[in-house]
Amino acid sequence: MSTRDRKATRGEEKTPPKRSINSGPIAFFVSLFIVAVGVIQLVSTLNVYAADLSHLNSLKRQEAALIAQKQELENDISRWDDTSYVAAQARDRLGFVFPGEQSVHVLNPQAVTGEEAEQQESSSGSSTQSKQLPWYSELSYSFKEADQEDDKQTDSADQQQSDTQDDKQESNQENKQ
């Protein structure tokens, strides 16, 4: 060992490094920043967790609704295995009859029963009750209505054109006088 090292170990005691006066607030703000970043991360994680949990709950509700709908559709399918259900549907929807029976279609049922006339008088302007027609009658009816709408539109367009022409002729006659 050299004499220099001996002097440093004997006579001089090591003094702790002097802390600057400003190191306290800097350390405080650094630690405050670290805590703030940690809180932000924690809140962000909890927010994502809550959003995922609500999404999961909505998916579970949707799954339950789809399972109920599937069960209902399976019940409808199983009904078609019953021959009496098929016969009833054929009679109701298509107007089929059993051999030996006669099918009677009344063209104006309100004339026979008088129900629709009474209902119209009693309702007096309220919404009319829709008639349930077979699908082929509904199709025919919709075609007729579509044709009538075109006729009404062309009639109204022709009426407007003739009205404007009449107005022009009248104004020309007034200008000549």
Side-chain angles (χ1 to χ4, degrees), residues 14-23:
K14 289 191 172 182
T15 59
K18 293 184 179 180
R19 295 175 72 185
S20 66
I21 298 171
N22 294 334
S23 67

Side-chain angles (χ1 to χ4, degrees), residues 26-46:
I26 291 174
F28 173 74
F29 286 117
V30 168
S31 62
L32 185 65
F33 177 74
I34 291 171
V35 168
V37 169
V39 167
I40 289 171
Q41 287 294 325
L42 182 65
V43 168
S44 172
T45 303
L46 291 176

Side-chain angles (χ1 to χ4, degrees), residues 92-164:
D92 290 343
R93 293 183 182 187
L94 303 175
F96 286 4
V97 293
F98 288 116
E101 291 182 351
Q102 289 184 347
S103 176
V104 176
H105 294 284
V106 178
L107 295 178
N108 294 321
Q110 66 271 11
V112 175
T113 60
E115 292 178 7
E116 188 170 309
E118 292 174 6
Q119 288 177 356
Q120 287 179 353
E121 291 172 6
S122 63
S123 64
S124 64
S126 64
S127 63
T128 61
Q129 184 180 14
S130 64
K131 292 185 266 180
Q132 190 70 12
L133 297 175
W135 65 271
Y136 48 85
S137 297
E138 287 284 340
L139 185 65
S140 172
Y141 178 75
S142 65
F143 284 141
K144 289 177 185 175
E145 285 295 314
D147 289 342
Q148 288 177 359
E149 288 296 321
D150 290 340
D151 292 341
K152 289 178 185 177
Q153 289 175 355
T154 56
D155 289 344
S156 64
D158 292 341
Q159 177 97 19
Q160 289 175 354
Q161 287 178 353
S162 64
D163 288 344
T164 55

Side-chain angles (χ1 to χ4, degrees), residues 61-80:
R61 284 191 303 270
Q62 186 179 9
E63 179 187 19
L66 288 174
I67 288 171
Q69 183 182 9
K70 178 185 173 192
Q71 184 64 37
E72 183 179 325
L73 291 173
E74 286 175 350
N75 289 341
D76 288 343
I77 290 171
S78 67
R79 282 188 201 129
W80 285 98

Side-chain angles (χ1 to χ4, degrees), residues 44-60:
S44 172
T45 303
L46 291 176
N47 187 21
V48 169
Y49 173 75
D52 288 346
L53 188 62
S54 73
H55 184 66
L56 178 67
N57 288 337
S58 69
L59 288 176
K60 284 182 180 178

